[in-house]
């Protein structure tokens, strides 16, 4: 998903297509790996732009359905990330969703 078409000199801001289950599963697998590959080394996850909302944005060129799918995927991803972290590290698991 290319996001940044608000002005002629907008930066290229490419974001993952969170309307795709494969993208969400890739993220969750990465989180799981980070938290379990070397126990105690990583105890939390930081995710930037926890409040991103593509629905109705004029800065991207997506159909309304794609925007809504991305938004639903974004919310689901954050919910599942928190659940995963807590299931793997109940005592010290931290999830920081910046701007959420």
């Amino acid at each position: 998903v290319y996001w940044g078409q608000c002005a002629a000199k907008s930066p290229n801001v490419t974001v993952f297509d969170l309307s795709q289950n494969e993208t969400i599963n890739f993220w969750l697998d990465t989180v799981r790996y980070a938290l379990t590959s070397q126990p105690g080394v990583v105890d939390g996850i930081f995710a930037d732009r926890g409040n991103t909302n593509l629905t109705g944005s004029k800065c991207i060129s997506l159909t309304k359905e794609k925007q809504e799918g991305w938004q639903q995927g974004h919310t689901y991803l954050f919910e599942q990330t928190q659940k995963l972290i807590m299931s793997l590290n109940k005592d010290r698991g931290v999830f920081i969703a910046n701007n959420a």
Side-chain angles (χ1 to χ4, degrees):
V1 175
Y2 178 78
W3 184 18
Q5 300 173 2
C6 286
K9 294 185 179 182
S10 293
N12 176 4
V13 181
T14 304
V15 296
F16 294 106
D17 186 352
L18 300 179
S19 69
Q20 302 292 321
N21 288 333
E22 294 83 2
T23 305
I24 293 170
N25 290 334
F26 180 75
W27 166 263
L28 294 173
D29 288 345
T30 302
V31 169
R32 183 178 295 105
Y33 177 79
L35 294 173
T36 62
S37 65
Q38 294 182 0
V41 174
V42 176
D43 60 2
I45 300 294
F46 173 87
D48 204 2
R49 307 311 303 165
N51 65 342
T52 301
N53 185 349
L54 297 186
T55 307
S57 175
K58 294 179 173 42
C59 297
I60 57 173
S61 178
L62 296 175
T63 65
K64 180 180 177 183
E65 291 78 19
K66 190 64 159 179
Q67 287 180 7
E68 290 172 355
W70 188 95
Q71 196 61 48
Q72 290 170 359
H74 184 259
T75 301
Y76 180 77
L77 178 135
F78 275 69
E79 291 169 350
Q80 294 305 307
T81 299
Q82 181 64 49
K83 288 178 183 177
L84 178 60
I85 291 169
M86 293 309 297
S87 74
L88 295 173
N89 195 346
K90 292 178 186 171
D91 296 329
R92 299 180 5 178
V94 176
F95 180 40
I96 299 173
N98 193 31
N99 295 311

